[in-house]
Amino acid sequence: MPCSRVILDTEQLKRIVDTLAEQLSSDFSGVDNPLALIVLEGAKYFAEDLIGKLNFSLDAEYINASSYSGTASTGHVKIENSQQIEDAIRGRNILLIDDIYDTGLTLHKLLQWLQTCGAGSVKTCVLLEKDIPHEKHIDIDYLGSSVEDAFLIGYGLDYNGQYRDLPYIGVLDDALIGSEPSGPLEEIAD
Ligand code: IMP
Ligand code: MG
């Protein structure tokens, strides 16, 4: 097992997603034409499960943002495909969906960008928040769970492109830090 310990198992993740879906379904019932903006690659698994449980329909766009190298934030956020989706954002009620609020730099940059694109309104929905002093404070409207400060893998979270498909979230085993991925790395975004 690549984790030294599991912190959220499959059942716990399901309950978290169910609770968020219930809150969103009630809050978004009157919202006009909402658009989910999913931060790739990490939030893909979470967002897919979540959206499948909503009782309203919403469009979805994907944004590639990356700031991590190995187990550390580079402090520099790269947004890859912003130009292609700018037009889809203007005037829309956005639900920004990400996997984890760590330093807050990624969400901060995305929120700034959404403002410059002229989004009608923005709500944030994040699966996990690390229990640390964040570099940027972000108001998370819908939070799944607070977690300890450790490098986590699974349910979308990766280490150098690996372990995203684990059906649980766990702490990366120290023995694996520095290890090279076994195959070619195709994914570049967090
Ligand atoms: P930020 O530091 O809040 O900007 O987080 C940026 C991104 O880094 C998140 O969206 C994740 O994709 C990734 N990230 C942060 N912490 C972890 C972790 O513990 N494991 C895997 N990816 C992480
Ligand atoms: Mg991410």
Side-chain angles (χ1 to χ4, degrees):
M1 181 153 112
C3 300
S4 51
R5 115 193 101 76
V6 172
I7 60 162
L8 291 169
D9 65 23
T10 306
E11 260 314 298
Q12 288 169 309
L13 287 169
K14 187 177 170 307
R15 277 201 296 275
I16 288 170
V17 172
D18 284 347
T19 305
L20 289 171
E22 263 173 48
Q23 291 169 352
L24 287 164
S25 293
S26 124
D27 293 0
F28 273 69
S29 61
V31 174
D32 187 35
N33 207 11
L35 174 71
L37 183 63
I38 300 159
V39 186
L40 296 178
E41 293 280 332
K44 202 163 60 177
Y45 293 66
F46 164 52
E48 191 172 305
D49 286 347
L50 181 70
I51 288 173
K53 289 179 175 169
L54 299 175
N55 72 356
F56 60 96
S57 63
L58 78 178
D59 298 333
E61 290 284 353
Y62 296 86
I63 184 99
N64 272 289
S66 63
S67 65
Y68 253 65
S69 170
T71 61
S73 169
T74 60
H76 178 74
V77 183
K78 245 187 342 195
I79 302 180
E80 307 272 342
N81 60 328
S82 52
Q83 278 173 353
Q84 289 99 297
I85 57 174
E86 265 172 20
D87 289 345
I89 302 293
R90 197 163 305 119
R92 296 293 292 274
N93 297 308
I94 308 290
L95 180 65
L96 180 61
I97 304 179
D98 204 0
D99 51 3
I100 189 162
Y101 170 22
D102 182 15
T103 64
L105 292 168
T106 303
L107 287 166
H108 178 76
K109 182 142 185 184
L110 287 172
L111 288 168
Q112 272 186 332
W113 170 72
L114 284 170
Q115 211 172 10
T116 62
C117 294
S121 69
V122 182
K123 296 283 181 195
T124 50
C125 176
V126 178
L127 178 63
L128 307 171
E129 175 177 0
K130 278 194 192 170
D131 190 11
I132 52 166
H134 306 288
E135 279 181 47
K136 297 281 183 193
H137 172 82
I138 310 291
D139 284 320
I140 308 288
D141 299 292
Y142 302 92
L143 174 68
S145 177
S146 175
V147 289
E148 65 193 76
D149 183 19
F151 192 79
L152 306 175
I153 51 171
Y155 200 54
L157 294 168
D158 75 304
Y159 171 58
N160 287 341
Q162 294 183 289
Y163 313 121
R164 286 189 203 281
D165 57 345
L166 296 174
Y168 54 81
I169 290 177
V171 176
L172 178 70
D173 191 333
D174 280 347
L176 293 171
I177 294 177
S179 65
E180 289 301 314
S182 48
L185 251 189
E186 284 170 13
E187 294 160 316
I188 48 163
D190 285 339

